[in-house]
Amino acid sequence: MDDTDSRRGGCTTWVLTELLSLARETGVDLLGEPRLVRLNPNIPWKTRGNGALAAHFGVGSGPGRTVGSIGGRPVRSYARGRPLSPLRAERFREAAWQRVLERSERGSAGTDPAMVAAERPLPTELYWQAVREVVPVGSTLNALRRAGAWWRTDGDPRGLIGASAAIAWPARRVTWELTAYRTEPRIGLRRVVDADSVRTVAAAHPSLFLCEDPRTRRILVSPHTNCPVLYGLRSTRPGPLLRARSSVRSEPVDRWVLFRTNQGTGDHLVSRSPRDLGPFRAARFAATVASPPEVRRGGHVALHVVDEAGGRVECVAFEPTKTLPRVAQQLAPGDRVQLWGSRGDDPVVRLEGIRLVRLVPRAGRRRSLRCPECGTTAGSLGSSKGYRCPACHRRFPPEASRRPRLEPPLRLGDYHPTPSARRHLAPRGPEP
Ligand code: ATP
């Protein structure tokens, strides 16, 4: 499902927890983990992180394991199971849709809930298109018809794009997020999450990522919006999250759920020439720096590069990413780089990362030439004519004052935005 929240409040991940609760009430089992799937981060009509949600329901078999807790009771998940009978599936779908409607921020501008149900996985193309391109809802509707899927919408049907993509996500490259939610009366109040306890769990479990911005020491696990999320712990493995959760000290947790996600996978980035990059899309491409970088008002750095096909591309490293403008500013014409970033309406590429592949040697400052005989500073005889010592009249060739060559000031490798400025999908990199 998708599009259940608004800028004023709500959260689609929370609405999904309501479906997990409904399943438990009605004896329907959860198979595998719920999915939190981030889609094209450049879509202008997203509310916040362009997330869509999916879960697989059926009749579980084998031992279950706990993947959440709602109302003080565990949410169990089964690794294997069989489909619900057609009648139970039909009843569950309709009840789920009613609950989605009840729990959505209906009536708020831009909240148009949508839900899709399918008996088989949907074509993965629906995911790749939704994470990388701008999808017309008509093409999603056609795909849903071809797949024999069931769907409901309330208002604009655009939410079907995200809802279908969440089911279609192949989930090969994955990370995990354990999301903890607030109790109803505290929503809207200042969040109480003990920063030291977050730092301690991050240090104890190296698979956790983006817990803290080491530059500012700011804790990054809590949102700043009016939504029911208290905190989200992200990890490359699920086990440590289940252990870490109980060590985070915070205000009361109403419920928590472990999600399988595509966060940190870089799935939105496609290797393509910036010339083929349409509005609201992202690319990764090789390029050579064409001219000295320009530092603009606000500390943003504009970088002109030439891509492999010889096309000139304007890129910008925004100040809040901290690392990227610092690196971009030190680049020199001729440096070989790989860049990744997105564009909005205009063709400027907003950088999301820089790989330094090869750097041209830097020229040092021109030295003033001292006469080796008497130590007096030699004077120039004019361009390319060399130098003469005014005291002892010795002459020196023009090369005598050549600029020394310096090692480039940067190390080769990947540079990512400072953790607080990273997008949900941004490829995971070292946290400086
Ligand atoms: P939150 O993360 O807080 O749940 P959100 O940022 O996901 O909110 P939504 O309110 O869900 O924002 O709005 C995003 C809308 O954009 C949805 O209707 C979704 O179906 C649609 N959408 C997602 N990806 C694409 C895409 N690639 N092309 C066109 N529409 C898209």
Side-chain angles (χ1 to χ4, degrees):
M1 59 183 177
D2 201 356
D3 222 341
T4 66
D5 59 346
S6 75
R7 283 188 203 281
R8 278 194 304 116
C11 175
T12 311
T13 70
W14 183 84
V15 179
L16 187 98
T17 68
E18 286 289 286
L19 296 197
L20 301 180
S21 182
L22 173 74
R24 204 175 55 184
E25 285 161 30
T26 52
V28 169
D29 293 329
L30 172 66
L31 307 181
E33 304 82 12
R35 303 162 150 224
L36 163 56
V37 182
R38 302 285 177 181
L39 300 170
N40 185 340
N42 305 305
I43 288 296
W45 47 86
K46 67 179 182 171
T47 311
R48 283 182 286 267
N50 203 2
L53 278 297
H56 188 190
F57 297 103
V59 180
S61 57
R65 64 185 188 108
T66 299
V67 294
S69 168
I70 302 175
R73 288 177 49 217
V75 174
R76 306 283 287 166
S77 156
Y78 297 85
R80 273 179 297 284
R82 56 188 164 79
L84 296 171
S85 70
L87 183 64
R88 282 187 80 199
E90 174 63 24
R91 284 200 187 130
F92 183 61
R93 284 195 297 259
E94 294 299 344
W97 176 237
Q98 284 317 309
R99 191 145 304 184
V100 168
L101 291 177
E102 284 159 26
R103 301 296 194 259
S104 296
E105 295 283 305
R106 286 168 83 194
S108 300
T111 302
D112 303 291
M115 190 177 125
V116 172
E119 284 179 19
R120 277 173 294 281
L122 294 171
T124 53
E125 208 37 40
L126 287 174
Y127 167 68
W128 293 113
Q129 290 283 321
V131 75
R132 294 177 167 174
E133 310 293 337
V134 179
V135 180
V137 70
S139 77
T140 299
L141 279 164
N142 287 338
L144 290 177
R145 280 190 202 103
R146 278 196 301 274
W150 172 105
W151 67 89
R152 294 282 184 275
T153 59
D154 181 50
D156 191 310
R158 197 153 60 188
L160 293 174
I161 300 164
S164 316
I167 299 178
W169 175 45
R172 290 217 187 86
R173 249 185 315 191
V174 304
T175 64
W176 305 83
E177 176 166 329
L178 187 148
T179 310
Y181 298 86
R182 318 186 73 184
T183 53
E184 179 89 44
R186 290 201 58 88
I187 295 173
L189 303 179
R190 198 174 62 80
R191 288 177 173 83
V192 180
V193 177
D194 180 68
D196 283 335
S197 69
V198 174
R199 288 189 191 107
T200 307
V201 296
H205 303 286
S207 69
L208 268 62
F209 61 95
L210 293 183
C211 289
E212 185 190 11
D213 192 330
R215 202 178 49 85
T216 56
R217 298 213 71 213
R218 232 184 75 205
I219 294 299
L220 303 176
V221 299
S222 294
H224 298 284
T225 53
N226 205 13
C227 75
V229 172
L230 177 58
Y231 61 79
L233 300 176
R234 289 159 280 210
S235 171
T236 52
R237 293 191 296 125
L241 285 176
L242 297 171
R243 293 193 288 279
R245 183 193 62 82
S246 52
S247 305
V248 174
R249 287 191 300 272
S250 72
E251 64 180 61
V253 170
D254 177 63
R255 55 184 76 185
W256 62 268
V257 170
L258 175 69
F259 292 100
R260 186 186 279 260
T261 89
N262 63 344
Q263 294 174 158
T265 60
D267 273 0
H268 65 307
L269 299 169
V270 196
S271 290
R272 56 183 158 195
S273 155
R275 278 187 307 178
D276 302 331
L277 188 61
F280 312 118
R281 285 152 170 97
R284 189 191 273 280
F285 55 96
T288 304
V289 176
S291 53
E294 295 159 38
V295 181
R296 297 199 174 147
R297 260 224 344 250
H300 314 304
V301 175
L303 188 66
H304 288 89
V305 299
V306 175
D307 71 0
E308 282 184 321
R312 211 177 151 89
V313 188
E314 182 181 346
C315 303
V316 61
F318 282 111
E319 192 280 333
T321 65
K322 305 293 179 196
T323 333
L324 303 184
R326 183 176 60 73
V327 171
Q329 201 179 338
Q330 296 178 71
L331 294 176
D335 284 346
R336 300 274 307 142
V337 290
Q338 195 187 94
L339 302 173
W340 53 102
S342 297
R343 59 166 283 196
D345 237 347
D346 59 54
V348 176
V349 175
R350 292 140 169 84
L351 293 178
E352 294 172 25
I354 302 176
R355 173 177 295 171
L356 302 185
V357 178
R358 205 181 65 225
L359 300 178
V360 294
R362 272 43 176 174
R365 265 209 239 143
R366 196 177 284 279
R367 293 182 294 209
S368 60
L369 181 65
R370 286 189 179 274
C371 172
E373 291 292 319
C374 62
T376 312
T377 303
S380 171
L381 296 171
S383 90
S384 343
K385 292 210 174 90
Y387 299 85
R388 192 175 59 186
C389 172
C392 63
H393 305 295
R394 275 182 60 137
R395 283 176 173 261
F396 307 102
E399 315 80 78
S401 73
R402 204 169 37 203
R403 296 162 189 239
R405 292 195 142 196
L406 297 181
E407 279 302 305
L410 297 160
R411 63 169 172 77
L412 299 184
D414 289 3
Y415 291 87
H416 299 270
T418 196
S420 59
R422 277 188 218 173
R423 302 183 116 174
H424 292 294
L425 278 166
R428 288 192 337 96
E431 292 167 24

